[in-house]
Amino acid sequence: MCSQVSIGTGCFLGLGLGLNWWQWVVFIAVVAFSWPIAWCVNSSFNVQAALYKKRWAPVETWQVTHQLLETVGAGFVVRVAFSLREPNNKKERTQRMTARKRPTPEASNAATKPPPSTTLSATANSITDPPIAPPKAGKILTASLIFFVPYAYLIFSHYNIEPDLKQSIIINAVLSSGAFLVTLSMIPVASRYVLRRNLFGYDINKKGTRQGSVKVPESLGIVIGIVFLVFAILFQHFNFTSDSIWLVEYNAALASICFMILLGFVDDVLDVPWRVKLVLPSIAALPLLMAYAGHTTIVIPKPLVSYLGLEVLDLGWIYKLYMWLLAIFCTNSINIHAGINGLEVGQTIVIACAILIHNVMQIGASSNPDYKQAHAFSIYLVQPLLATSLALFSYNWYPSSVFVGDTYTYFAGMTMAVAGILGHFSETLLIFFIPQVLNFLLSLPQLSGFIPCPRHRLPRFDPQTGLLTGTNDGTLVNFFLRQFGRMSESSLCILLLVFQAIGCCFCFLLRWFLAGWYK
């Protein structure tokens, strides 16, 4: 029965996704190799006894893998069968795709007009539907070595992390690598679908140039969110058991993230007003708040202990209110600190790297098992977020070939908020968000309605020079342009990401300076 369900699911995916040959090959390779690699990591640590204590047997892994491969194989066979029926003539394929598009008012008016010449029609089609630019994955991965090298050094050399905890981190990293490859191959597929449904936009910061008239696919954050959820759910099989105390909170975290992805996509499609956008994360945070079973206490700073007479203070429902407000802030702060190519994804990558380094440092320096598990829990969520974001960044970096949409910004903000809340380092997380806090303070007069707020608070673009000029709108983007003068879009993004990295480094310096004195 399980095999029939697997094959049926695969047939549905083969028909619905419409993957190309090479994309199916990548998908099969990821599934075929990531699971055995994860199994090899299990065996290399020689923890078979521990695995049996967790009440799952190795044969279950291969049963699940077998069914997963049946699903993928069935989808591949169906796709091959239907590819034989696809027209080989380019003209026939164009006619079929034209027939699939929904009619628009412009198309209806055009139907009454005399048809233009064949040459002009072919030229218009080539301009309207340009192919998506290839990813800049090589450059992105090379630049990310600045993080991966010290991160690997901290895990494998600097700190003496327990083998079972290190094993779980490595398995999660292997699955995250698979998520990177799947995301990299799925974005072009999703781009064609969203363009077909008229979900596209024009790059305002390139208005007046050739790139400013190109249709850019929007809402590609839905791909990253789905891939993240799939691999995060698969990771449960390797790490959590049915009686694990962390399983409930892990599923609650995924529920909140999934809820936020849905609301973000609704926002992209329906164009929700700003005041409603502020409320959406409060709805998505409800599963996390309802399932939260951790402590509601805070440690009083040492300088205040003599005045309060307490070392630990139980806040009760006030602590959950703080968690709720933190989720709202993190989600919206990523969303409003945007407007140029690569900024939304870039700031997420920088903060995710800082969160991972902080978690590893706390695991290595602590002797409390629960404290270590809380930070490991945060790693399990942030590593797939970083991997999928790097894949998206390779398409979203200047010049951007896809737009991430509110779907991604809500998803990224909620994921980092959940990681900080359940990892019990919400204070540190807020310091990582220093640029977002400054941007929020600058934006507050316009968001509150005291100053008129335009739809797009973007800088002015000069098509003659290709430079951006800051406006009087209250954003960190315009503030940097007013302070440092006109500059190109890529230079401005790099400057803002460097500022984000400086803010994260300041957080680490502040924690080192206050260690032993503040708490």
Side-chain angles (χ1 to χ4, degrees), residues 7 376 399:
I7 294 174

Side-chain angles (χ1 to χ4, degrees), residues 275 441-454 457 472-474:
R275 290 172 178 81
L441 294 177
L442 291 171
S443 304
L444 196 57
Q446 288 184 318
L447 296 179
S448 57
F450 290 105
I451 298 177
C453 182
R457 302 183 299 161
N472 293 325
D473 291 321

Side-chain angles (χ1 to χ4, degrees), residues 373-396:
Q373 189 60 45
H375 283 281
F377 184 92
S378 176
I379 292 178
Y380 302 152
L381 293 174
V382 177
Q383 279 188 157
L385 170 66
L386 176 61
T388 52
S389 297
L390 285 173
L392 178 61
F393 196 47
S394 63
Y395 289 97
N396 186 243

Side-chain angles (χ1 to χ4, degrees), residues 431-447:
I431 304 178
F432 286 152
F433 274 73
I434 283 180
Q436 285 73 24
V437 173
L438 295 177
N439 184 70
F440 174 74
L441 294 177
L442 291 171
S443 304
L444 196 57
Q446 288 184 318
L447 296 179

Side-chain angles (χ1 to χ4, degrees), residues 20 33 94 98 107 123 257 364 367 380 403 460 462 466:
N20 294 329
F33 288 104
T94 304
T98 304
T123 306
I257 294 171
S367 58
Y380 302 152
F403 289 153
R460 286 191 300 270
D462 185 0

Side-chain angles (χ1 to χ4, degrees), residues 175-191:
L175 292 175
S176 299
S177 302
F180 171 83
L181 296 176
V182 172
T183 305
L184 204 64
S185 62
M186 288 299 297
I187 287 179
V189 179
S191 298

